[in-house]
Amino acid sequence: MLSQNLVLSYIKDNLGFPFQKLELEDEKILEYIIDHTLKEFGYYVPQVWKTSLNLNSDANKVPGVGNEFYIFDDQGLEILNVIDFYSSASELYLHGHPPIGALSMGELKDWALAVSNAMTVKMFSSFDYTFEFRHPNIIRISPLPTSSIGVITIEYERQQPPDLSGIPNDLHQYYKKLALADIMIVLGRIRKKYGGGNLRTPFGEIPLDAEILEEGKEMKREVLETLERLYIPNIRIDHG
């Protein structure tokens, strides 16, 4: 599992620390890669999460709107998109869906037909709900849900948690490279202000070349292009 310390060590090792002193302390590096790098990474690779929502609770209802409800993330992370929501199968049972699966080959034909009929009827009933996600944390369900639905499960995409535990194992290297690139850009901008020569600091003498700025920009561009090929980032579209 990826951690903040692992990413910090990767950044410092690739910047030549301790032989090359850095202008940023560890706390500032971590602050930047969590507040900025992780947020940008999360738009390409959000964490898929689930939460329950009681539609009958007044605390979850948007005032003055009968079919809009607040979604609360258990860690207070930014919600990017709602994938789907799931309720009980009670409405399918009303339409004739068998409560259990087929128990024999002889029952299979009738069971499959009953399932198909129930799903078709549901599509044209008042239980055929659609939803719309409204930023920052509202789900709009149409038509107006009945009180019998009760609690539903919402599957949604959220920002990656700050401890980096949600980043998939096969994408650790991409995040580390993106974090390194961002810190290289920050350091390059700092050094660019001073021109040529060396700067004497409490950390030692620092060469003030700005090449690291362009290297960081190029590395970031390559990582983001790869993420764009692998994942489609969330794009907000307003219909009006």
Side-chain angles (χ1 to χ4, degrees):
M1 184 175 69
L2 197 61
S3 68
Q4 293 183 6
N5 286 335
L6 284 175
V7 178
L8 179 62
S9 295
Y10 176 86
I11 292 172
K12 295 173 71 174
D13 289 346
N14 279 273
L15 292 176
F17 186 86
F19 305 103
Q20 170 68 63
K21 300 296 183 180
L22 305 179
E23 296 89 330
L24 296 175
E25 296 182 353
D26 292 357
E27 293 77 11
K28 287 297 182 182
I29 294 176
L30 288 174
E31 181 180 311
Y32 193 90
I33 66 174
I34 297 303
D35 292 345
H36 302 283
T37 307
L38 186 61
K39 187 169 186 178
E40 185 171 19
F41 184 86
Y43 282 110
Y44 291 91
V45 190
Q47 185 181 42
V48 177
W49 206 246
K50 290 186 177 77
T51 188
S52 59
L53 175 63
N54 187 347
L55 301 183
N56 296 326
S57 172
D58 291 337
N60 297 331
K61 297 178 181 179
V62 176
V65 187
N67 63 336
E68 293 186 358
F69 307 88
Y70 293 114
I71 307 170
F72 298 102
D73 181 74
D74 56 1
Q75 296 184 42
L77 297 175
E78 179 183 354
I79 297 173
L80 303 177
N81 188 37
V82 171
I83 299 173
D84 207 344
F85 78 90
Y86 313 97
S87 59
S88 70
S90 58
E91 64 269 19
L92 286 175
Y93 298 152
L94 291 175
H95 301 317
H97 192 293
I100 60 175
L103 300 177
S104 67
M105 285 296 296
E107 295 180 1
L108 185 58
K109 180 180 178 180
D110 291 337
W111 180 87
L113 181 60
V115 170
S116 177
N117 288 341
M119 298 296 291
T120 302
V121 172
K122 181 178 180 294
M123 292 172 57
F124 297 94
S125 73
S126 58
F127 295 106
D128 186 36
Y129 295 109
T130 60
F131 69 90
E132 174 190 356
F133 174 60
R134 296 180 55 194
H135 289 272
N137 67 326
I138 293 176
I139 183 172
R140 179 185 180 93
I141 302 176
S142 301
L144 179 66
T146 63
S147 59
S148 61
I149 292 184
V151 178
I152 64 174
T153 297
I154 297 180
E155 185 177 17
Y156 62 97
E157 296 175 333
R158 68 178 187 178
Q159 267 293 343
Q160 291 286 349
D163 63 0
L164 310 182
S165 62
I167 297 178
N169 294 340
D170 58 336
L171 298 179
H172 286 183
Q173 195 65 19
Y174 291 112
Y175 177 74
K176 290 193 291 185
K177 284 181 125 180
L178 186 60
L180 173 60
D182 277 345
I183 296 303
M184 290 173 69
I185 292 171
V186 172
L187 293 177
R189 286 171 177 164
I190 293 174
R191 297 175 185 180
K192 194 173 182 180
K193 293 181 180 179
Y194 297 98
N198 293 340
L199 175 68
R200 194 181 302 274
T201 74
F203 305 100
E205 290 206 358
I206 301 173
L208 296 179
D209 61 276
E211 292 182 3
I212 191 174
L213 175 62
E214 297 306 319
E215 291 176 7
K217 287 182 178 179
E218 178 62 19
M219 182 184 295
K220 181 169 184 173
R221 182 188 65 78
E222 292 175 356
V223 174
L224 292 183
E225 284 183 354
T226 301
L227 292 176
E228 286 176 357
R229 290 196 299 268
L230 295 174
Y231 300 92
I232 300 176
N234 280 288
I235 300 175
R236 183 177 178 182
I237 300 177
D238 292 327
H239 298 276

